[in-house]
Amino acid sequence: MTYFWLALAFVGAAAVAGAAFARSTTAAPAIAAGGTQRGDRERDGTARGPSAAHWRAVGLAFAALAVLTAVFDSVMIGMELFHYDEAHLLGAKIGLAPLEDFAYPLAAVLLLPGLWLWLTRRTAAQTDAATPEGARDSVRPNPPAPSGSRPAGLLSQAILASRPVSWINTAYPFAAAMLLTTREIDWVLVVGTFYFLIPYNLAMYGINDVFDYASDLQNPRKGGIEGALLPPRLHRPMLWLAAITNVPFLVVLAFAGGPAAWISLAVSAFAVVAYSVAGLRFKERPLVDSMTSSTHFVSPAVVGLALAGADVTAGLLILLAAFFVWGMAAHAFGAVQDIVPDRQAGIGSIATVIGARATVRLAVVLWLLAGLAMLATPWPGPLAAVVALPYVANCAPWWNVTDTTAARTNKAWRRFIWLNYGSGFLVTLILILQWSLSS
């Protein structure tokens, strides 16, 4: 079988499944809410399939991924990091990337948007059915499920709570750190990458959503891409799910490493729990909250380095410090948008204590420091200094934001989420260059 027919099978299956998932969500919300959803096709509950807007979004996403695929694959093939058996290819290429390479991002954009809509359909229906128009900017009640709909299940809410759009932010540092050190793919790399991709995020965000329920009720951005609004009946099951999906991985990874790995895994797990649980609640300790949040993203890289037995050098320590400062900036800026609901719930974050304006300015300074620190790392590390600039540009317009207008920074926060993907693209190119130079 050629790569083309294999790829075509995956694309076909993804297209069918994605359209089916999206189709199941188009008419259902309108019917559940009495036919009052926005949009002409949804108002009367007569939608027959995914909307034109859905397919436009799919097209734009594929265009972006196709450009990234062409660049990445051309660079890696040009550096001879891998190769294909030409006998199994059609022969058409974009740059150095064979046409078959573009099947995988196409399959992803066909499947994942529909799957996301399907997973979040009950949350949307419940919120729209019970919340009056215009009330979502202030206080959101905990709505009962509308008549005829089933309560949101643990699995769908667990996936929503784990923030799938951010999974890569913890798996990537681990995989990159370990792969660049060992130069090989083994079972530890695979298991660790999977752990930091899904179970780790389920624990980090799921535990947070349980203990932040009081403030999340006041937060109109919960219930979608930025986290779940977990009903109380799912709080205990969510905590159990986080435990049983994390402990086995932690044990396996601990056995695979030595004392350095044990310490780094312990710090990582403790930071995940301490940030949210009652009695510790590091998220309510100004500055400590940003440091703990940054640990969530830096510790996977440290675990990867420890498992790989990396040599600790000054350049490596500076790189990790820059990453840590970057993480503190990200947390601080993200806390600004939640000042109002956090204060209503009595949560004392860095933003609620020092105010929106001071927090934004601190974030800008921290991102600049992260960029400057990268200039002191060995080549090609200094190239990564430019990665800080888009974050500064995204944050700086809110230099004079006030506490009363803090919620508006959510626009910049949503851009921040997608900036991470662009930054990951640039960092990956730098890591490929590092691999080539040190081979």
Side-chain angles (χ1 to χ4, degrees), residues 270-286:
F270 176 76
V272 165
V273 173
Y275 184 78
S276 301
V277 299
L280 292 173
R281 293 291 284 176
F282 282 9
K283 74 167 295 174
E284 296 192 42
R285 305 172 189 269

Side-chain angles (χ1 to χ4, degrees), residues 169-170 173 200 204 267-268 271 275 287-302 320-332 366:
N169 294 341
T170 48
Y200 181 81
M204 179 166 61
V267 170
S268 182
Y275 184 78
L287 193 59
V288 173
D289 57 348
S290 293
M291 295 173 66
T292 307
S293 177
S294 186
T295 301
H296 294 161
F297 301 97
V298 178
S299 62
V302 176
L320 291 174
F323 189 11
F324 191 82
V325 172
W326 179 95
M328 289 182 62
H331 174 271
L366 289 174

